[in-house]
Amino acid sequence: MDLIRRLFFFRFGSTLFVVSLFFLALVGCESNFKEVQKINYSEFAPAGEATDFNLKYTDSGRITSILESSKMLDYAHVEFPYTEFPKGIFVTLYDSKGQRTFIRSNYAVTFKGTGIIDLQSQVKITNEFGQQLETNQLYYDQKNEWFFTEQKFKLTDTKGVSYGEGIDFSKDFKRVNSQRINGEINQTE
């Protein structure tokens, strides 16, 4: 009986030793695998960064817009280049007569190849005539100077307040196309 007991402990001990070596080898391979993964890993970092800036755009000596933001991240080196404003933007647009339109959002991203600006989170547009649009997401086509969204919106002007879902309009609010609109509008003639 003593021999059987010794043989059992020997086999048990040998099995335990082999299993331990296997786990140690497995952990060692895993750690090497993680190191190999790190070699091919590249951190997604911006090519440029700016904080607390005020940028003026001009055309023929006339200011056309002013962009202010507390943080800008430029990803010009990626396949589809873009600029991100993670802390929001404040933009003042000027028309040819010097009339201003003000845009504010808590987040924005502009795509360099398209000229489209994606404004998100508490987007508010106002002008000097008291017109105001509020929505959660709004796109701005810089080339055509045109805003559009399919999101819910609130439009306030001298005629009243209206709500809807889906709107597009010129930067000066002179041309407005709205979809699914409701609200109170005072009609004066």
Side-chain angles (χ1 to χ4, degrees):
M1 191 70 162
D2 195 33
L3 181 62
I4 295 175
R5 186 179 277 168
R6 283 186 202 171
L7 191 57
F8 172 76
F9 283 121
F10 177 73
R11 284 188 182 171
F12 179 74
S14 300
T15 304
L16 187 61
F17 179 72
V18 170
V19 169
S20 298
L21 286 177
F22 175 73
F23 282 118
L24 286 174
L26 183 63
V27 169
C29 290
E30 182 178 322
S31 122
N32 287 343
F33 181 68
K34 288 180 181 178
E35 292 298 319
V36 170
Q37 282 181 323
K38 287 180 184 178
I39 291 171
N40 292 325
Y41 177 76
S42 63
E43 189 172 319
F44 193 68
E49 185 173 331
T51 55
D52 298 322
F53 69 93
N54 183 318
L55 183 62
K56 293 176 175 74
Y57 293 92
T58 60
D59 183 13
S60 304
R62 182 181 63 83
I63 294 177
T64 57
S65 62
I66 300 172
L67 169 64
E68 299 173 60
S69 181
S70 58
K71 186 165 192 153
M72 178 189 82
L73 303 172
D74 185 23
Y75 293 92
H77 62 292
V78 298
E79 186 175 354
F80 300 105
Y82 65 96
T83 304
E84 180 181 27
F85 302 91
K87 294 187 177 181
I89 61 170
F90 181 72
V91 179
T92 304
L93 300 174
Y94 294 88
D95 68 9
S96 59
K97 296 175 184 173
Q99 310 245 317
R100 299 175 298 176
T101 300
F102 307 98
I103 306 163
R104 181 178 301 278
S105 72
N106 290 343
Y107 175 85
V109 62
T110 177
F111 302 97
K112 295 187 187 217
T114 64
I116 300 291
I117 300 174
D118 181 2
L119 305 157
Q120 297 178 23
S121 183
Q122 297 180 352
V123 181
K124 185 184 282 189
I125 299 178
T126 57
N127 65 15
E128 295 179 298
F129 303 108
Q131 295 169 305
Q132 178 175 291
L133 181 113
E134 297 172 75
T135 187
N136 228 8
Q137 183 173 28
L138 188 68
Y139 298 98
Y140 179 60
D141 180 347
Q142 296 176 77
K143 181 181 176 187
N144 296 312
E145 299 182 331
W146 198 260
F147 291 96
F148 58 96
T149 186
E150 292 298 318
Q151 300 289 317
K152 292 181 180 180
F153 67 88
K154 175 183 175 184
L155 179 63
T156 307
D157 63 11
T158 57
K159 297 177 184 175
V161 178
S162 57
Y163 300 88
E165 191 172 333
I167 189 169
D168 62 289
F169 55 96
S170 61
K171 77 174 184 178
D172 57 6
F173 286 96
K174 289 184 180 174
R175 292 175 286 161
V176 177
N177 302 312
S178 55
Q179 307 164 17
R180 297 179 297 279
I181 192 167
N182 61 52
E184 294 182 24
I185 299 175
N186 297 326
Q187 196 72 329
T188 56
E189 297 189 47

